[in-house]
């Protein structure tokens, strides 16, 4: 029995992470390559995401005072 090389399409399993002006490519958790990004690349994101320098940020709504309780007042009891 002889072994032979075969080419398998793994495109839909490849993921990328932006890091230091590059997109690092992974197949599952194994690094497989990188794409160098040009200096002034234009990134199109959904409305609640923002690209700044080499970072991507998500705009979210959070609780202003997550530990505040209904009983938190100067009287020490129900307000």
């Amino acid at each position: 029995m002889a072994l032979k090389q075969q080419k398998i399409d793994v495109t839909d399993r490849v993921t990328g992470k932006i890091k230091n002006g590059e997109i690092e490519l992974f197949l599952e958790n194994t690094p497989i390559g990188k794409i160098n990004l040009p200096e002034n690349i234009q990134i199109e994101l959904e409305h609640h995401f923002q690209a700044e320098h080499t970072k991507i940020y998500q705009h979210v709504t959070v609780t202003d005072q997550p530990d505040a309780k209904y009983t938190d007042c100067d009287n020490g009891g129900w307000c």
Side-chain angles (χ1 to χ4, degrees), residues 14-31:
V14 174
T15 59
K17 293 183 181 183
I18 297 176
K19 185 177 179 183
N20 300 327
E22 311 176 322
I23 299 176
E24 294 180 338
L25 301 174
F26 295 85
L27 179 60
E28 290 151 12
N29 293 323
T30 305

Side-chain angles (χ1 to χ4, degrees), residues 17-24 34-39 53-55:
K17 293 183 181 183
I18 297 176
K19 185 177 179 183
N20 300 327
E22 311 176 322
I23 299 176
E24 294 180 338
K34 64 183 177 181
I35 300 170
N36 292 315
L37 297 174
E39 183 82 19
H53 306 289
T54 61
K55 304 278 186 184

Side-chain angles (χ1 to χ4, degrees), residues 7-13:
K7 182 168 61 173
I8 300 172
D9 182 4
V10 296
T11 307
D12 62 341
R13 296 174 33 211

